[in-house]
Amino acid sequence: LIPVFNAVENVELPLLLRGTAPKEARRRAVEMLDRVGLGHRAGHKPNEMSGGEQQRVTVARALVGRPAIVWADEPTGNLDSTMADAVMQLLRQLNEEDEQTIVLVTHDPGIGAAAQRVVRMRDGHLESDERRDARRPALVKTG
């Protein structure tokens, strides 16, 4: 996160860089902060937020542009279990409703259990590739 920007400015930045009109960028950034449970912290700078809140701002920034593929490396790593569940629910919702592809790297077996496909890597080599229920987001697990 950019330390001199508040949460909403950090989230809207990629939209502004892509040429989105400022009012639309702000609206979408506020909406995404609401989706990750941080609408009430939109005006706070990173140093005024907890590590978990900063992580959720980072998730919001990654998702606000609606990328075709979301590459998420330990997106729940700094979150308590309640917030981790909320972020995973948001990723599932984006996967199902917006048809976004989610590639998630984690060491947490609980997070892995929610995926429709689990690819296990060990020391740079494919260990297994397990397909599950198609309604779950894809996941890459290292370990």
Side-chain angles (χ1 to χ4, degrees), residues 104-115:
L104 193 147
V105 178
T106 187
H107 290 88
D108 183 335
I111 299 297

Side-chain angles (χ1 to χ4, degrees), residues 75-139:
T76 60
N78 294 327
L79 305 178
D80 63 35
S81 61
T82 301
M83 278 296 110
D85 290 344
V87 167
M88 287 306 297
Q89 179 62 32
L90 175 59
L91 293 175
R92 271 191 291 283
Q93 182 180 18
L94 291 168
N95 177 247
E96 292 171 7
E97 295 173 11
D98 298 351
E99 297 183 0
Q100 284 184 297
T101 298
I102 313 289
V103 179
L104 193 147
V105 178
T106 187
H107 290 88
D108 183 335
I111 299 297
Q116 65 177 275
R117 181 177 179 191
V118 176
V119 177
R120 286 189 173 79
M121 304 287 295
R122 181 176 299 275
D123 300 327
H125 299 284
L126 179 66
E127 193 171 83
S128 66
D129 184 349
E130 178 185 348
R131 295 177 190 274
R132 300 179 182 170
D133 183 342
R135 292 170 293 177
R136 299 188 217 172
L139 172 103

Side-chain angles (χ1 to χ4, degrees), residues 18-48:
R18 286 181 13 186
T20 303
K23 285 184 180 182
E24 176 65 9
R26 179 61 54 108
R27 183 193 67 74
R28 287 175 55 188
V30 168
E31 178 183 291
M32 189 56 70
L33 283 170
D34 284 339
R35 288 182 83 177
V36 297
L38 288 177
H40 66 290
R41 303 285 280 168
H44 290 80
K45 292 183 178 174
N47 69 343
E48 300 170 330

